[in-house]
């Protein structure tokens, strides 16, 4: 199906483990974004990408790594998960010439 | 850097009545977009309405309208004839205008307001 998907939708992991959250979009949008949602903070930008192989840090990048080898995929990796990274993670994409961002369904990550 | 503030953590309204959600922002930019997003319990982010800063006319989408005060940096959302399906978290968001380069297109969100519509 066309659109933006995230996997897994739910994940429980232990402190210190590496975990990768996947994001895939079928529109060939050039811009992609990762946000985290925490109560009292709204959504905060972790990383974003303007095109394949072009990424940049957002507001809260520490502890996260991204890559974008293909336009349609934008995985987010927590190299060594911490309890403070327990959150809901949203991926989004946007065409370069428009204003609207399209959000994925979110991944709820719990770090124990 | 931009900041967006929603000072109402929770609001409630009776079905069919009108409610206004507040949002203020701080920026040195002159050209930008402002948005209201709705997040129902399904967690999906849904764009409700947008406003371009260069437009003086307030945006309207059916029962949803905004009061955009550029000088005061205020951007409130009015929901008329509230419905049970309007129950959700509402986020105000800011985005710099422009389509080139890596600095554009990032959304800065407020903390959110939980709106409950009572029957």
């Amino acid at each position: 199906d066309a659109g933006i998907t995230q996997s897994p939708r739910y994940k429980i992991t232990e402190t210190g483990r590496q975990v990768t959250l996947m994001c895939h979009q079928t529109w060939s949008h050039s811009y992609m974004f990762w946000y985290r949602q925490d109560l009292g903070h709204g959504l905060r930008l972790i990383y974003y990408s303007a095109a394949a192989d072009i990424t940049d840090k957002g507001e809260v990048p520490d502890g996260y790594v991204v890559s974008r080898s293909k336009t349609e995929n934008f995985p987010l990796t927590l190299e060594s998960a911490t309890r403070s990274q327990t959150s809901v993670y949203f991926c989004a994409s946007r065409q370069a010439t428009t204003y609207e961002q399209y959000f994925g369904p979110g991944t709820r990550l719990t770090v124990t | 850097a931009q900041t967006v503030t929603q000072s109402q953590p929770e609001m409630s309204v009776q079905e069919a009545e009108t409610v206004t959600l507040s949002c203020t922002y701080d920026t040195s930019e002159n050209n930008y977009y402002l948005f209201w997003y709705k997040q129902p319990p399904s967690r999906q982010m849904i764009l409700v309405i947008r406003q371009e800063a260069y437009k003086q006319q307030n945006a309207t989408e059916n029962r949803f309208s905004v009061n955009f005060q550029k000088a005061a940096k205020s951007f409130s959302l009015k929901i008329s004839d509230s419905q049970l399906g309007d129950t959700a978290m509402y986020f105000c968001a800011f985005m710099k205008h422009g389509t080139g380069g890596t600095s554009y297109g990032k959304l800065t969100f407020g903390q959110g307001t939980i709106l409950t519509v009572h029957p």
Side-chain angles (χ1 to χ4, degrees), chain A residues 28-88:
Chain A
S28 298
H29 287 171
S30 53
Y31 285 88
M32 295 189 75
F33 307 86
W34 275 106
Y35 298 89
R36 61 177 289 175
Q37 181 178 3
D38 304 289
L39 196 63
H41 292 280
L43 280 74
R44 292 179 291 175
L45 183 66
I46 305 171
Y47 269 95
Y48 61 103
S49 169
D53 297 323
I54 301 176
T55 62
D56 205 350
K57 295 178 180 178
E59 183 184 352
V60 288
D62 293 343
Y64 303 95
V65 174
V66 294
S67 62
R68 195 166 176 207
S69 58
K70 293 183 178 181
T71 300
E72 61 268 28
N73 296 323
F74 191 38
L76 176 74
T77 298
L78 289 66
E79 292 189 304
S80 178
T82 66
R83 290 194 181 89
S84 65
Q85 293 177 310
T86 292
S87 187
V88 177

Side-chain angles (χ1 to χ4, degrees), chain B:
Chain B
Q2 287 68 231
T3 59
V4 178
T5 301
Q6 294 177 247
S7 58
Q8 305 155 314
E10 295 186 42
M11 295 278 287
S12 64
V13 65
Q14 292 296 124
E15 199 174 7
E17 296 195 342
T18 296
V19 64
T20 299
L21 308 184
S22 300
C23 173
T24 59
Y25 60 95
D26 189 27
T27 185
S28 58
E29 301 289 332
N30 192 47
N31 293 321
Y32 50 87
Y33 292 105
L34 293 165
F35 305 90
W36 279 98
Y37 279 87
K38 171 184 177 181
Q39 187 182 45
S42 67
R43 218 164 58 199
Q44 183 65 47
M45 294 290 287
I46 301 166
L47 179 62
V48 174
I49 198 166
R50 82 175 192 279
Q51 174 79 42
E52 290 95 334
Y54 66 88
K55 291 186 177 179
Q56 292 186 339
Q57 186 173 4
N58 290 322
T60 298
E61 289 287 344
N62 300 314
R63 299 183 293 107
F64 299 88
S65 61
V66 299
N67 183 2
F68 173 49
Q69 302 289 328
K70 190 173 183 179
K73 296 180 180 174
S74 169
F75 183 60
S76 61
L77 174 70
K78 186 172 80 171
I79 306 174
S80 304
D81 186 25
S82 296
Q83 300 175 359
L84 297 178
D86 295 333
T87 292
M89 174 88 84
Y90 287 81
F91 291 100
C92 178
F94 172 101
M95 184 174 80
K96 285 198 294 187
H97 190 278
T99 57
T102 60
S103 64
Y104 297 104
K106 299 180 290 182
L107 286 168
T108 300
F109 286 88
Q111 302 91 329
T113 297
I114 299 172
L115 175 67
T116 303
V117 180
H118 297 285

